[in-house]
């Protein structure tokens, strides 16, 4: 028995297959004439064998020289020496001109009435196809026509992406549920078309208001969209071009839905999609494919959006698996501008956001992530800045002490300080300062790792301390004009206006290096508190420009005030640390 999938997917189709035979309207006829190099509307640029045999070669082509006396028949239709077109062609062009000038020919208005007509026709197509499939289950040629009509109607829904104001009406009519139900259609080509349309309707590029997008997506979720998406990526075979495209569109829908964090968490908690994404990202390929890269990208988005998803990722040993994948790039760089380069970026993103949680840090230590990052810092190229960022996240936070100790035990201080003494871009410098600040904060007092860290700042006549102060001065000089501009802008503004612009001003200060200045001053404050020699060195450096420890104290006080003003959401441990350091200054 012939399967419907074979009929739709095989390149060579049986002669009895129903094909689209669109009625030729004047526009299409005109296009065919334009494409016809012969300019003959009747022959369509083709010559039959009979015509070719009976045609006198002597009367075709340009005019013969005058000394050859051959009579050329009169060209009644003017094909060669007339106006360049036949009478039939001229009639077609005249008809098109009349239609363009006829004001009565208007485009169909896309409104609520149009949506209702579309919905009614769409539902009829679905019902007819289901009826014929049930009636002629073993004779696909008898329901193939309805399948083609349904396929055409699905694609016609694309126009809704240009009229997002009709999303609510479309959902109320029940069409969203019907569209989603097609994901379970026996013909995967129909399911893939439905997935592609859902991807278009939910895409970020659609100019839809949040309420309009929410109405549409909520209706899709109620129709069990997430489970049906998982069923499709499980049944599609990527060795087939059409199915591979279907998987890509499924990933596109998941990316679109993840723009709402609550849905991203729902994807991780209610389906096995995260497990599939991890497996797909790990699947070995000679050349990293687009779908493998996209799977890693969607996974990174889901992990960044939800702590629940990160926990699930870590529990399925995703941390260990992805560090193994990254280990292949500790010395080797992927080719620039390829899917593989983006793939590696996505792997780093997945691991980096996962180490922000305690469970992720523990798994990172177990999988020897600190050691791998140190190798990349010494020997890697493309992986070096990503590994530095990963270490910064792993060592940070309340639970970063174990990672800090591991870095010291793995002889990482030499690597970190060797980088610290060199000039880097702002991002790398920010991560280096973050790592040092985390170690000074988290390493236990009087412990061997902490003593080794402090010794690094003392050795060689406090050269690391001087370098730290130099960075502090650079970032302070960058921030000063921004602060002055903000002060001028805020003059005369009311409380409401200042509150409204608060986020904008903070963003400008962060761009100027606020975080790096805070990290540098925190490190300097720790050195002042713990080593008298370092304190004297810092005071001497400050005195060069008539500055004092009060300048460092002011930075920490501003940070403390911002944390206290954050409606109780601030890190209380960090606030306690800052309060203690301020007293030493």
């Amino acid at each position: 028995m012939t399967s419907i999938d074979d009929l739709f997917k095989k390149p060579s189709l049986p002669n009895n297959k129903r094909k689209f035979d669109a009625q030729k309207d004047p526009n299409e006829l005109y296009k065919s004439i334009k494409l016809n190099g012969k300019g003959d509307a009747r022959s369509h640029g083709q010559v039959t064998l009979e015509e070719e045999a009976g045609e006198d070669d002597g009367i075709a082509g340009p005019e013969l020289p005058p000394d050859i006396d051959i009579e050329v028949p009169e060209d009644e239709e003017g094909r060669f020496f007339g106006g360049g077109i036949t009478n039939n062609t001229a009639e077609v062009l005249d008809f098109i001109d009349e239609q363009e000038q006829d004001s009565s020919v208007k485009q169909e208005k896309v409104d609520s009435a149009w949506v209702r007509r579309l919905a009614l026709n769409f539902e009829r197509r679905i019902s007819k196809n289901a009826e014929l499939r049930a009636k002629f289950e073993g004779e696909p040629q008898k329901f193939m026509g309805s399948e083609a009509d349904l396929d055409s109607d699905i694609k016609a829904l694309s126009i809704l992406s240009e009229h997002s104001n009709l999303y609510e009406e479309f959902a109320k009519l029940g069409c969203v549920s019907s569209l989603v139900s097609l994901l379970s259609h026996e013909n995967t080509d129909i399911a893939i078309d439905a997935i592609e349309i859902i991807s278009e309707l939910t895409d970020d590029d659609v100019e839809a208001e949040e309420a309009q997008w929410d109405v549409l997506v909520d209706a899709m979720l109620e129709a069990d969209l997430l489970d049906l998406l998982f069923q499709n990526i499980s049944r599609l075979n990527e060795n087939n071009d059409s199915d591979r495209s279907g998987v890509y569109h499924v990933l596109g829908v998941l990316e679109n839905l993840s723009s709402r964090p609550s849905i991203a968490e729902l994807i991780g908690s209610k389906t096995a999609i995260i497990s599939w994404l991890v497996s797909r990202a790990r699947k070995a390929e000679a050349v990293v494919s687009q779908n493998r890269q996209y799977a890693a990208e969607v996974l990174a988005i889901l992990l960044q959006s939800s702590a629940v998803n990160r926990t699930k990722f870590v529990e399925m040993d995703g941390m260990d698996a992805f560090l193994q994948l990254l280990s292949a790039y500790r010395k080797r760089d992927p080719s620039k501008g390829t899917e593989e380069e983006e793939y590696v970026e996505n792997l780093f993103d997945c691991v980096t956001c996962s180490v922000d949680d305690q469970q992720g840090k523990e798994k990172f230590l177990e999988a020897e992530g600190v050691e791998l990052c140190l190798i990349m810092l010494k020997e890697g190229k493309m992986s070096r800045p990503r590994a530095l960022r990963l270490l910064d996240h792993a060592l940070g936070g309340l639970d970063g002490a174990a990672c800090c100790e591991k870095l010291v035990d793995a002889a990482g201080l030499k690597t970190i300080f060797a980088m610290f003494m060199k000039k880097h871009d702002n991002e790398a410098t920010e991560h280096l300062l973050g790592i040092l600040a985390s170690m000074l904060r988290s390493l236990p007092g009087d412990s061997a790792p902490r003593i080794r860290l402090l010794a690094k700042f003392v050795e060689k006549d406090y050269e690391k301390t001087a370098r730290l102060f130099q960075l502090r001065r650079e970032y302070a000089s960058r921030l000063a004009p921004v602060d002055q501009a903000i002060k001028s802008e805020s003059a005369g503004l009311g409380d409401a206006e200042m509150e409204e612009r608060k986020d904008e001003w903070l963003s400008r200060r962060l761009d100027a290096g606020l975080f790096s200045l805070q990290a540098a001053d925190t490190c300097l404050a720790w050195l002042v508190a713990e080593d008298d020699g370092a304190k004297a060195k810092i005071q001497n450096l400050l005195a060069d420009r008539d500055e004092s420890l009060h300048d460092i104290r002011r930075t920490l006080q501003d940070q403390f005030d911002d944390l206290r003003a954050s409606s109780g959401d601030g890190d209380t441990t960090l606030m306690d640390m800052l309060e203690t350091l301020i007293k030493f200054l």
Side-chain angles (χ1 to χ4, degrees):
M1 181 177 70
T2 306
S3 74
I4 186 63
D5 290 334
D6 290 338
L7 291 171
F8 268 77
K9 294 178 181 176
K10 289 185 178 178
S12 55
L13 300 175
N15 292 331
N16 62 347
K17 181 179 185 293
R18 175 179 173 180
K19 300 180 180 178
F20 282 102
D21 189 13
Q23 300 240 334
K24 302 224 179 221
D25 61 20
N27 289 310
E28 292 176 340
L29 184 56
Y30 174 57
K31 289 177 184 176
S32 69
I33 294 164
K34 292 280 284 185
L35 293 173
N36 179 5
K38 305 281 187 183
D40 187 353
R42 296 176 301 173
S43 66
H44 297 287
Q46 299 176 353
V47 181
T48 64
L49 291 174
E50 292 79 7
E51 290 172 338
E52 186 177 6
E55 189 175 6
D56 186 355
D57 294 337
I59 64 173
E63 183 177 353
L64 293 173
D67 58 317
I68 301 178
D69 187 15
I70 297 179
E71 183 179 353
V72 180
E74 183 180 354
D75 182 16
E76 296 180 356
E77 297 185 5
R79 289 178 59 191
F80 298 102
F81 305 104
I85 59 175
T86 65
N87 292 335
N88 287 347
T89 305
E91 291 175 6
V92 171
L93 294 175
D94 290 341
F95 176 80
I96 292 173
D97 290 338
E98 290 175 6
Q99 294 301 312
E100 289 178 348
Q101 294 172 9
D102 187 359
S103 60
S104 63
V105 179
K106 296 180 180 178
Q107 248 186 337
E108 187 175 15
K109 186 178 180 181
V110 179
D111 55 12
S112 297
W114 175 86
V115 171
R116 287 192 288 270
R117 290 194 301 272
L118 178 76
L120 181 61
N121 189 57
F122 186 52
E123 296 291 348
R124 284 174 178 171
R125 295 289 194 200
I126 295 175
S127 299
K128 181 180 178 181
N129 177 246
E131 180 184 342
L132 291 177
R133 265 188 167 272
K135 187 175 181 180
F136 303 105
E137 184 177 358
E139 304 174 83
Q141 65 274 12
K142 292 188 177 181
F143 57 77
M144 189 185 308
S146 68
E147 214 112 297
D149 291 338
L150 178 58
D151 178 79
S152 179
D153 277 13
I154 293 171
K155 292 175 179 177
L157 296 176
S158 176
I159 194 173
L160 280 172
S161 63
E162 302 173 11
H163 303 276
S164 56
N165 57 304
L166 298 175
Y167 278 5
E168 184 174 0
E169 183 73 20
F170 186 65
K172 285 181 179 178
L173 293 169
C175 283
V176 172
S177 177
S178 299
L179 176 62
V180 172
S181 70
L182 292 176
L183 270 64
S184 60
H185 200 281
E186 294 178 22
N187 183 353
T188 55
D189 286 344
I190 295 293
I192 290 170
D193 284 342
I195 293 168
E196 185 174 359
I197 290 299
I198 290 173
S199 179
E200 285 186 32
L201 297 179
T202 58
D203 195 273
D204 287 341
D205 292 337
V206 175
E207 296 180 359
E209 297 178 4
E210 185 176 353
Q212 295 167 347
W213 190 88
D214 288 345
V215 167
L216 181 72
V217 171
D218 287 342
M220 291 179 176
L221 295 176
E222 289 176 9
D224 211 15
L225 173 63
L226 297 181
D227 284 336
L228 289 171
L229 288 173
F230 177 70
Q231 290 174 20
N232 273 275
I233 55 176
S234 300
R235 72 167 170 162
L236 294 176
N237 177 13
E238 290 190 63
N239 292 325
N240 178 283
D241 288 343
S242 177
D243 285 13
R244 184 163 57 251
S245 173
V247 170
Y248 181 84
H249 290 305
V250 170
L251 294 172
V253 174
L254 292 174
E255 180 183 10
N256 296 342
L257 297 178
S258 299
S259 61
R260 193 202 290 177
S262 60
I263 299 179
E265 186 166 313
L266 197 64
I267 291 172
S269 60
K270 300 298 183 181
T271 70
I273 287 176
I274 286 184
S275 177
W276 184 91
L277 291 172
V278 171
S279 299
R280 185 63 187 87
R282 295 181 63 186
K283 185 178 179 181
E285 295 175 343
V287 177
V288 175
S289 66
Q290 187 178 31
N291 281 357
R292 188 184 186 193
Q293 179 273 318
Y294 204 3
E297 180 179 344
V298 172
L299 179 61
I301 294 171
L302 291 173
L303 297 182
Q304 290 167 2
S305 302
S306 167
V308 173
N309 293 344
R310 293 194 291 272
T311 300
K312 192 169 186 176
F313 171 74
V314 170
E315 288 176 349
M316 64 177 64
D317 291 329
M319 178 70 71
D320 182 62
F322 276 37
L323 285 174
Q324 288 183 33
L325 293 172
L326 286 171
S327 66
Y329 301 96
R330 60 187 183 276
K331 297 181 181 180
R332 179 179 74 84
D333 287 350
S335 301
K336 290 187 177 181
T338 62
E339 301 287 353
E340 186 179 15
E341 184 179 32
E342 288 191 49
Y343 170 72
V344 175
E345 291 271 12
N346 298 142
L347 293 181
F348 268 110
D349 289 341
C350 290
V351 176
T352 300
C353 66
S354 296
V355 298
D356 285 334
D357 304 323
Q358 180 181 359
Q359 193 173 3
K361 293 181 192 296
E362 294 172 357
K363 290 291 185 180
F364 183 71
L365 280 174
E366 291 176 14
E368 300 181 348
V370 173
E371 292 88 338
L372 176 62
C373 287
L374 290 175
I375 292 174
M376 289 179 171
L377 291 180
K378 289 185 286 187
E379 302 177 2
K381 293 181 181 178
M382 180 264 194
S383 61
R384 183 181 294 132
R386 282 85 183 170
L388 185 65
R389 173 171 167 256
L390 176 54
L391 269 183
D392 186 12
H393 282 257
L395 271 60
L398 297 175
D399 306 304
C403 289
C404 291
E405 292 182 19
K406 173 60 71 174
L407 185 142
V408 178
D409 293 341
L413 289 179
K414 181 179 179 181
T415 303
I416 294 298
F417 277 101
M419 292 183 68
F420 180 68
M421 295 302 292
K422 297 177 182 178
K423 188 173 182 62
H424 299 280
D425 59 29
N426 291 335
E427 184 177 359
T429 302
E430 179 180 311
H431 292 312
L432 285 167
L433 290 170
I435 289 171
L436 296 177
S438 295
M439 287 194 291
L440 286 168
R441 173 185 176 181
S442 300
L443 288 174
D446 297 328
S447 65
R450 188 175 190 85
I451 293 172
R452 290 173 63 182
L453 174 63
L454 293 173
K456 281 289 184 182
F457 284 102
V458 173
E459 67 181 13
K460 298 181 180 180
D461 193 25
Y462 297 96
E463 67 172 3
K464 275 81 173 180
T465 302
R467 170 63 176 162
L468 179 62
F469 183 82
Q470 179 189 357
L471 290 173
R472 189 260 172 206
R473 180 162 282 170
E474 288 179 7
Y475 284 108
S477 63
R478 293 183 195 177
L479 193 60
V482 176
D483 285 342
Q484 186 61 41
I486 292 173
K487 184 178 180 180
S488 300
E489 293 170 13
S490 61
L493 294 180
D495 292 341
E497 292 175 299
M498 292 184 65
E499 185 65 27
E500 186 178 339
R501 300 195 60 183
K502 184 178 179 181
D503 291 340
E504 176 204 336
W505 289 335
L506 177 60
S507 177
R508 286 163 58 183
R509 297 187 74 207
L510 288 171
D511 290 341
L514 175 62
F515 178 83
S516 296
L517 176 63
Q518 291 175 342
D521 279 353
T522 299
C523 292
L524 290 171
W526 275 113
L527 295 176
V528 168
E530 298 205 32
D531 187 89
D532 291 338
K535 180 179 180 180
K537 178 69 174 179
I538 294 169
Q539 286 177 320
N540 289 335
L541 292 170
L542 286 166
D544 289 344
R545 294 188 181 180
D546 296 328
E547 296 174 324
S548 67
L549 293 177
H550 179 74
D551 293 279
I552 298 176
R553 174 176 176 167
R554 183 168 57 248
T555 302
L556 301 188
Q557 186 66 54
D558 289 344
Q559 185 179 2
F560 177 82
D561 293 340
D562 289 339
L563 288 171
R564 186 169 55 182
S566 60
S567 303
D569 296 331
D571 184 342
T572 55
T573 305
L574 177 57
M575 291 175 65
D576 291 342
M577 180 200 74
L578 291 173
E579 192 172 20
T580 302
L581 291 176
I582 289 170
K583 293 178 181 178
F584 279 101
L585 298 173

